[in-house]
Each structure stands twice: as C-alpha cells, then as structure tokens.
Amino acid sequence: MARKFLYVIAFLIALVIAGAVVYRIWGNDLIRWRFVPARAFEPQSNVREDVYDRPDMWLARPDIQRNPALWTPAGYQPRNAAGGAAIFFIHPTSYLSDDHWNAPLDNKEANDRAALFLRGQASVFNEAGEIWAPRYRQATFGSFLTDAADATRALNLAYGDIQVAFASFLRQIGNDRPIVLAGHSQGALHLTHLLKDKVAGTPLARRVVAAYVVGWPVSRDNDLKAMGFPECARADQRGCLLSWETFAEPADPSLVLDIYDRSTGFDGKPRRGSRLVCTNPLTGTANAAALASANKGTLFPAADLGSAEIKAGRVPARCDERGLLLIGEGPDVGPYVLPGNNYHVYDYSLFWANVRDDVTRRLGAR
C-alpha cells in the first residue's frame, strides 16, 4: 500500500513538472486558446445617460452598504469623515469566461471577483476620500490576448459604459471636490482614453490630484501628451500621472508587449520600442530604484482570500530600461502570477502602504 502511494506521488510530481515545462514553452499560446472567445461579438445598445445615477450600478460609492473598497488590513482605517477627494476607480478584468466578449452586468462570478479586486486595490485610496467604482460591461480577459476586430469592439462597448459612469460621477460629486482618477489593467486602459477624451485640456483637469494608470503600459513618447498630464517627477507633485507594470526576475513581458508593440499611440505613431512610463511606487518618482527597506507594507493574502496581512520591508522595486518595474526574485503572495514572472494581479498590493501614503501626500500638496 505504501509503495502504491509513493508511485502515485511520483506520478503527480512528474505530471506537475511536465505541466510546468509545457506551460513555460507554450504558456502564452495556451492562455490564448483557453480564454479568447470563439464566437462572434454580440452588438449591444448603449446604456442610458441616467443609469449610473442608480446606486446598484456601482460596486463602490459612499452611500452603499458592504462597500468592498472600505476594507483595510489590521492597523489601518478608512476615512471616517465625509469629504476629502472624490476617487473614480475603474476595476480590472474580472470576467474570464469565453462565453461572451463582454460580461453581463449581473454575472455574479465577475462581480464577486471585482469586489475582491476593490478590497486589494481601491482600498489604498480609502483614507484620502470617497471611492466610486462602477459596474460595467467589461471586455473578457481573452480580449487582451488577440488583435482581432471583435476584441476592439468589446473594449469599445466597455469604454462606452465608463464614459456614462464618469459623467454621472461628476454630476453627483459637485463642482469643487478634488478628484483622484485610478484604475488597473483593463480599468487603466479605459482611464487612458478617459483622460484623453474627457479631461485633458478642460477645466476639470485642474481638479485632478493624480491619475494612477496602473497595470497598463503608457508610452512616454506616444501617449502622455494627449492624456494631458506629465509623469510624476516628485513625490509631492499634483496634477501628474503614475504608471507601472510589475515583473519578478527573470522577466518575460512578451504577453504584454507583443500586442502593445503592434499598436498605435495616441499621437498616431507606432508604439513599438517606445519607453514606458515607470513610476516607482516606493518613491513616487519616475525611473527610480528602491530597496525593500523602503517598502512600508505589502499585502500577503490568506489562502481563502478572505483577509490579508500587511508586512513591511519585503519587496524592492526598480525601473528597467524599457520602463518595466522589476522586483527581484518575487515574493509568494498567491497563485496568480502570470507567465513570464508577471505580477500583474499584485501591482497595487505589493506596494499597498506606499501607494496609500502617496495619494494622501499628493492630496495635501500645494
């Protein structure tokens, strides 16, 4: 019996090793095969202009119960008084199915996963003010693994929802509140367009404390000017943009950069080879390096993801020549590291306490 057990263990170990080899060699192709929808894009009508005036269209806003963005680890508390900044946060992709190109608004799995992301990401802003995070018909994960026309249609539909949500957000917060704009991954992509289309060059831009465009590459040469904000050069600078994409080493960013390098920038020119905006979240400055001792707190989630412990001094960060944020060997923060040592899912949580201080510092700067 013991020998049979050892055979089973040996077989499982061999299977895991073989799977790891296959994943390392063909990982990106396997991901594309699994997540890109095989069906055609399904056209849908635009949402009504007033639909985001309803509280149920938001995952987070000041007046709803069980707001996931108000979560904090032990030792921290959200703001307990009204006021501060009004924070518009666009959550990352939480719809992984290949059943549709866009998530249904009532998809429970996608909404539950989005709420989890708000706890680990948007929560960094809950000391600075009130967080608004809309539900939207997000493009499915597979939309980012192909340059097919249907992927573009799915992203355009999602961005249409974001524009309506942002207009409602502005109506409801009034005309004098300072604003923080933030997002991650797909949310950061939509934020780049929102900055270009709705904020840059308008009176609204003067109210923006900072834009956190995290987990989506921003070209310094091709995108920044059109978005209307410079990259943050000082830790206490207002009216600037922060962006980073996190990789452990050795890093293979091909899953991110292959498609990005085939794209066209906001200036109409190819982005290929262009340097990315890289803000070091440990320093709040561009193209910087910092030791792990500068990290005030990384979130280490529990196995069930129901809670997290914050630990300081664990993760360093430096910007490389292309503009990727490198963190050395990489900590064990969970099973969701993507191929190529891509810590994309953890872009905020690796530097949670530093980003929390960053937004508070910029809000208080003059």
Side-chain angles (χ1 to χ4, degrees), residues 29-331:
D29 290 333
L30 286 174
I31 288 177
R32 291 186 181 99
W33 173 79
R34 167 61 183 84
F35 290 105
V36 176
R39 64 190 301 168
F41 171 77
E42 303 155 296
Q44 300 178 50
S45 59
N46 296 332
V47 294
R48 300 191 319 271
E49 291 186 2
D50 63 346
V51 73
Y52 282 98
D53 295 347
R54 291 169 20 200
D56 66 322
M57 287 297 292
W58 299 82
L59 289 163
R61 58 181 268 166
D63 57 350
I64 65 173
Q65 299 293 319
R66 297 183 296 277
N67 184 341
L70 295 181
W71 177 88
T72 55
Y76 293 84
Q77 294 293 328
R79 184 184 181 93
N80 57 13
I87 298 134
F88 187 76
F89 185 89
I90 312 173
H91 73 74
T93 307
S94 62
Y95 184 63
L96 309 182
S97 173
D98 62 354
D99 290 343
H100 305 281
W101 283 94
N102 291 87
L105 286 172
D106 61 354
N107 185 278
K108 185 179 186 303
E109 182 179 355
N111 286 330
D112 288 347
R113 189 177 290 118
L116 181 65
F117 287 144
L118 293 186
R119 287 196 289 274
Q121 298 177 351
S123 60
V124 303
F125 302 105
N126 66 28
E127 185 180 34
E130 298 170 341
I131 299 168
W132 299 65
R135 304 178 189 271
Y136 66 103
R137 291 173 293 180
Q138 60 183 284
T140 190
F141 176 64
S143 300
F144 297 93
L145 305 175
T146 176
D147 50 10
D150 279 348
T152 300
R153 295 184 183 103
L155 289 165
N156 288 342
L157 177 67
Y159 178 52
D161 287 0
I162 294 300
Q163 292 180 80
V164 177
F166 186 59
S168 177
F169 163 78
L170 294 176
R171 287 195 303 271
Q172 295 184 72
I173 66 169
N175 297 322
D176 57 355
R177 294 277 297 279
I179 294 170
V180 172
L181 301 174
H184 183 251
S185 192
Q186 177 171 175
L189 168 61
H190 295 315
L191 181 54
T192 66
H193 289 275
L194 201 66
L195 289 166
K196 176 177 68 72
D197 298 339
K198 303 296 181 181
V199 181
T202 72
L204 180 63
R206 293 194 292 270
R207 295 168 58 188
V208 175
V209 175
Y212 292 81
V213 186
V214 179
W216 188 261
V218 175
S219 170
R220 297 175 69 195
D221 296 330
N222 305 109
D223 296 331
L224 266 183
K225 184 177 180 181
M227 293 162 66
F229 293 91
E231 61 183 329
C232 293
R234 304 190 319 274
D236 62 350
Q237 183 178 351
R238 286 178 67 127
C240 59
L241 182 146
L242 304 88
S243 182
W244 64 88
E245 293 79 46
T246 312
F247 286 81
E249 298 175 75
D252 176 9
S254 59
L255 188 64
V256 174
L257 294 182
D258 283 355
I259 292 177
Y260 192 76
D261 276 345
R262 294 198 298 270
S263 67
T264 300
F266 288 153
D267 63 354
K269 299 177 182 178
R271 291 184 175 115
R272 176 173 295 278
S274 65
R275 184 175 173 83
L276 309 178
V277 173
C278 182
T279 311
N280 189 323
L282 298 183
T283 66
T285 58
N287 307 314
L291 300 175
S293 57
N295 193 320
K296 298 178 181 179
T298 295
L299 290 181
F300 285 81
D304 64 357
L305 303 180
S307 61
E309 182 181 2
I310 193 158
K311 300 178 183 180
R314 299 297 183 90
V315 182
R318 65 179 179 89
C319 294
D320 76 355
E321 296 79 7
R322 181 71 196 271
L324 300 174
L325 187 72
L326 303 182
I327 59 170
E329 184 176 346

